[in-house]
Amino acid sequence: MKPVPPAAGTPSLFGDEPAAEPEAAAPLQAAVPSPELVSLADRLQQRFGGRLRLGTSSWSFPGWQGLVWGRAYGAPVLARRGLTAYHCHPLLRTVSLDRAFYRPLDAATYAGLAAQVPADFRFVVKAPALVTDALLREPGSGKPVHANPCFLDAQRALQEVLLPAVQGLGPTLGALVFQLSPLPADWLADEPRLHEALDRLWQVLMPALRADARLQHTVVALELRNAALLTPALAGLLQSHGVRYCAGLHDRMPPMAQQLPMLRATWPGDLVCRWNLQRGQRYAQAKDAWAPFDRMQQPDEATRTALARVIVGTLGAGHGVLVTINNKAEGSAPLSVLALAQEVLRQAEAPR
């Protein structure tokens, strides 16, 4: 089935995104990893058999020169071809396609990205605001305009989100994450209405995904921005459809320890986590203060330790882990990945 293009007159929620290059281009130069970095990656691989996948939220950051890039590149070049160097980093085995949140991507764009990485790489795709935000917003300011008629629309999600990702990424589609933007009061006050909409969504998407034998490893996950939605009823709904709860480490959400009940209630299964934003921060605030994201600015050892504990427990039970980290978590996503990997190995090797 071919994906249906956006309907005429569909409002653009955000500005245009650069299209993927239609033809293969020469790989960018990757930073040369240190022997210590290579050794760490090898030890994790030997211990967990490749089930641990760490990565970043997007990748087009010139400030990562020396960490990921072997020389200076501009953001537009990195956006188009950066994955050819990104995947050479020993620890970066997944990446979150955050740009998909702003506008649905087509199968050709996804295929262009998949062509830049090896077969064992995995993408975490954020479903677009077109179907995950209950409100339509002004471009730029994000100010709510009116209700979004496509919110949790199952057919739009199938045709414009799932099928293009499946067709373009194929087996490199690791997870499809539906991150619900902060809900307005009318949705928050009507939990049955929200659960009914989610139930309809999963009834359409999950059979379509599982029909493709190549995608048996692919995870569909729900991420929240309202702590009030962390209820046993929602956990039961997710578990009934085989949808994972995505641990969202964000200023709007409680710490990992307070999200553990949702993970336990939907157990067993793979762990999907997006470490987005340090508590007490705002995206714009962290972006202005921490750019160009080439160093740790505010190490968050408590979050790292708690997340590593969940990772080790999940891996120890034989399941997979997909974790992506934003620059706004600690100041530099590649360095956060390194610190988390070190903590995971430390905990895994600690005497019990």
Side-chain angles (χ1 to χ4, degrees):
M1 183 182 299
K2 296 182 178 180
V4 176
T10 298
S12 176
L13 300 181
F14 299 89
D16 292 339
E17 292 288 313
E21 292 185 346
E23 299 179 359
L28 302 189
Q29 182 177 327
V32 178
S34 67
E36 293 78 13
L37 183 60
V38 173
S39 175
L40 173 62
D42 287 345
R43 290 165 68 189
L44 289 169
Q45 175 71 22
Q46 292 169 10
R47 190 172 191 95
F48 300 120
R51 288 179 288 113
L52 172 63
R53 296 183 180 277
L54 305 177
T56 67
S57 293
S58 193
W59 63 88
S60 56
F61 303 102
W64 292 358
Q65 182 182 349
L67 299 174
V68 180
W69 324 125
R71 67 176 183 84
Y73 294 105
V77 172
L78 294 173
R80 291 192 299 271
R81 295 191 284 131
L83 290 176
T84 59
Y86 176 100
H87 78 79
C88 296
H89 189 290
L91 294 176
L92 300 180
R93 305 184 61 235
T94 186
V95 73
S96 180
L97 291 179
D98 288 2
R99 60 178 286 200
F101 178 76
Y102 303 111
R103 179 188 293 272
L105 305 183
D106 59 27
T109 300
Y110 283 126
L113 297 172
Q116 298 183 39
V117 298
D120 65 347
F121 192 86
R122 295 291 180 265
F123 290 91
V124 176
V125 176
K126 280 189 69 176
L130 172 69
V131 294
T132 62
D133 195 339
L135 300 169
L136 292 178
R137 303 176 187 272
E138 288 183 352
S141 71
K143 180 181 177 181
V145 178
H146 53 73
N148 178 10
C150 298
F151 181 52
L152 299 180
D153 184 302
Q155 288 303 316
R156 295 294 291 267
L158 175 66
Q159 300 293 338
E160 299 181 39
V161 181
L162 179 65
L163 292 181
V166 167
Q167 292 170 7
L169 296 178
T172 64
L173 176 59
L176 177 59
V177 177
F178 286 77
Q179 180 236 294
L180 300 189
S181 298
L183 293 179
D186 59 329
W187 278 98
L188 284 175
D190 195 347
E191 186 179 35
R193 177 190 179 198
L194 177 64
H195 290 186
E196 289 169 5
L198 288 170
D199 185 53
R200 290 192 297 269
L201 180 70
W202 309 137
Q203 285 184 32
V204 171
L205 295 190
M206 298 307 290
L209 179 68
R210 298 306 175 216
D212 192 327
R214 303 173 304 160
L215 303 174
Q216 295 307 305
H217 68 272
T218 300
V219 178
V220 176
L222 179 71
E223 184 180 354
L224 304 173
R225 286 292 181 269
N226 295 100
L229 300 177
L230 298 173
T231 64
L234 179 59
L237 176 64
L238 297 181
Q239 189 173 43
S240 70
H241 287 288
V243 175
R244 301 300 300 149
Y245 171 69
C246 175
L249 303 180
H250 188 281
D251 180 66
R252 286 183 172 271
M253 295 298 291
M256 173 62 87
Q258 296 178 38
Q259 297 187 47
L260 285 178
M262 283 292 289
L263 293 173
R264 294 189 182 109
T266 55
W267 183 262
D270 292 348
L271 172 67
V272 181
C273 176
R274 297 178 64 250
W275 188 0
N276 298 285
L277 183 64
Q278 191 161 140
R279 298 187 64 77
Q281 288 277 13
R282 295 291 183 270
Y283 271 112
Q285 173 191 5
K287 179 179 179 181
D288 292 343
W290 293 352
F293 312 119
D294 59 348
R295 67 195 66 185
M296 286 286 227
Q297 298 284 352
Q298 283 185 211
D300 187 352
E301 295 180 3
T303 295
R304 188 185 313 124
T305 300
L307 175 55
R309 188 176 300 116
V310 177
I311 290 172
V312 171
T314 303
L315 294 169
H319 301 291
V321 170
L322 279 165
V323 175
T324 60
I325 307 178
N326 197 293
N327 283 320
K328 288 81 171 179
E330 298 181 294
S332 175
L335 293 178
S336 291
V337 167
L338 172 59
L340 179 60
Q342 292 170 332
E343 178 62 18
V344 166
L345 190 62
R346 186 195 70 78
Q347 292 191 25
E349 294 181 342
R352 297 294 177 181

